[in-house]
Every structure is written in C-alpha cells, then in structure tokens.
Amino acid sequence: RTGQQNGEPFSLKGKTVNSVLKTARDVQESFAPSGLKNMKWDEDLGDGKLIEIEVKEVLTTLDLVNIGDQMQNCLQTLRGMYKYAARARTRSSSFWYTTSLEKDSGMEIMGKELFKPKKKYIIVFEVWSESKIVHQAEGPGSTYPTNLALKSMQKWAESQDVAWDTWEMW
C-alpha cells in the first residue's frame, strides 16, 4: 500500500531528511492528553522584571517538530521525531515545554501594538507516565537548563505530584 500526499503516491525514495520533515509538518498526529495539567503564572525575577511562565503538554507531532525547531534539539531530526512520537503515541511518556515571556516589554502607541515580545522556549522535558517522574530534560540547543527553567519545571512538577529531581540530560 502506498502513502498519499496531495492525492499523489508518496515515496521516501530520493528524499532528504529535511524534505521528509518538511512534508511531515503537513501531517499531524494527535496524542491523548496525559491527565496532567498545563500551567501559567507570573514570575518576579527580583529586578523589577515580571515574566509569564507557561508549561504546556505536547499533544501533536506538529508540536514536536515546532519545539525541535525552537529548542534546536533532537526533536528536529527524523530519529528524534520517531523516537519521541512513539513514546507519546503509546502514552508511556508525555512531553512538556516551558516558555517565558517578558511582561510589559512590547511597544504600544495609541492602542496599537507595534512590537510584541517573543516567547522564549526555556526547557523541554519528558515525564514517564506510570512512575510520574521527570525522566529527561534539556535547555535550548541541548544545553543544561537555566536556573529559571529548572525552577519552573520544579514548580509545575510539584503541583502535579510528579518527581522532578530524577531527570537527566537527553
């Protein structure tokens, strides 16, 4: 049986990894929610800056690809996509990402928003469903997470009764 793309037979023959990933962006698979909750709060950085922190569950393959692009990590590779989509599909794991957004850092003139601050992706992590532990975590570019990212993961995990201090780098 042959796959279809835009009504035409689809084949991997002659395709590069990047062209397959580009094609995958047009196909979206949804994952069942884990039952854990998304969370959003304001965090005072202590220097007069207030940021919005948001922790969200990854619920589609498109989310996985987008987070891989934003975080510049293995989720942007075919191998990583396959590996983590398989875990999400079977619900052996759920995947979460955290963003930060500076409050009041945009520019508005006469009620029109001229500049909107961009969300920063600060951490992505995997929660094992059965044991409710954070298994893996990393910051942008497969780096060690910042203190803010770890603090945010801890706050979310403790609110969900998930052990957060067991994680390792991907």
Side-chain angles (χ1 to χ4, degrees), residues 6-8 27 33-35 46 58 61 64 67 75-76 89 95 98 101 104-105 112 117 126 148 151 153 158 167:
N6 300 325
E8 299 293 322
V27 178
S34 66
V58 176
T61 50
L64 279 174
I67 292 160
L75 290 174
Q76 66 182 343
R89 185 179 303 116
F95 296 89
T98 304
L101 178 67
D104 302 323
S105 63
K112 289 194 171 201
E126 176 183 7
L148 174 63
K151 183 178 171 184
M153 181 175 70
E158 288 176 349
W167 68 276

Side-chain angles (χ1 to χ4, degrees), residues 18-76:
N18 285 338
S19 69
V20 170
L21 287 173
K22 186 172 187 267
T23 301
R25 292 174 199 267
D26 300 332
V27 178
Q28 195 171 164
E29 177 183 355
S30 295
F31 310 125
S34 66
L36 301 172
K37 304 290 182 211
N38 294 339
M39 206 169 137
K40 187 188 288 192
W41 68 92
D42 289 340
E43 187 76 32
D44 185 351
L45 298 180
D47 57 359
K49 282 188 180 177
L50 193 62
I51 60 170
E52 179 183 275
I53 299 290
E54 186 171 23
V55 180
K56 292 182 79 172
E57 185 171 9
V58 176
L59 293 173
T60 68
T61 50
L62 184 58
D63 287 344
L64 279 174
V65 171
N66 288 336
I67 292 160
D69 285 346
Q70 293 295 323
M71 298 288 293
Q72 294 295 299
N73 64 16
C74 66
L75 290 174
Q76 66 182 343

Side-chain angles (χ1 to χ4, degrees), residues 68-138:
D69 285 346
Q70 293 295 323
M71 298 288 293
Q72 294 295 299
N73 64 16
C74 66
L75 290 174
Q76 66 182 343
T77 67
L78 192 56
R79 180 181 178 273
M81 178 63 140
Y82 176 78
K83 177 180 173 182
Y84 297 115
R87 290 185 191 172
R89 185 179 303 116
T90 62
R91 297 321 286 164
S92 62
S93 296
S94 58
F95 296 89
W96 299 81
Y97 65 97
T98 304
T99 57
S100 68
L101 178 67
E102 285 187 31
K103 304 281 271 187
D104 302 323
S105 63
M107 184 181 289
E108 194 174 292
I109 296 179
M110 297 173 45
K112 289 194 171 201
E113 193 171 52
L114 300 177
F115 168 74
K116 187 175 180 176
K118 187 177 179 183
K119 284 186 179 185
K120 293 180 184 173
Y121 287 71
I122 61 173
I123 192 170
V124 60
F125 57 95
E126 176 183 7
V127 175
W128 279 353
S129 301
E130 195 170 308
S131 56
K132 286 185 75 172
I133 66 168
V134 175
H135 169 59
Q136 301 182 88
E138 68 180 28

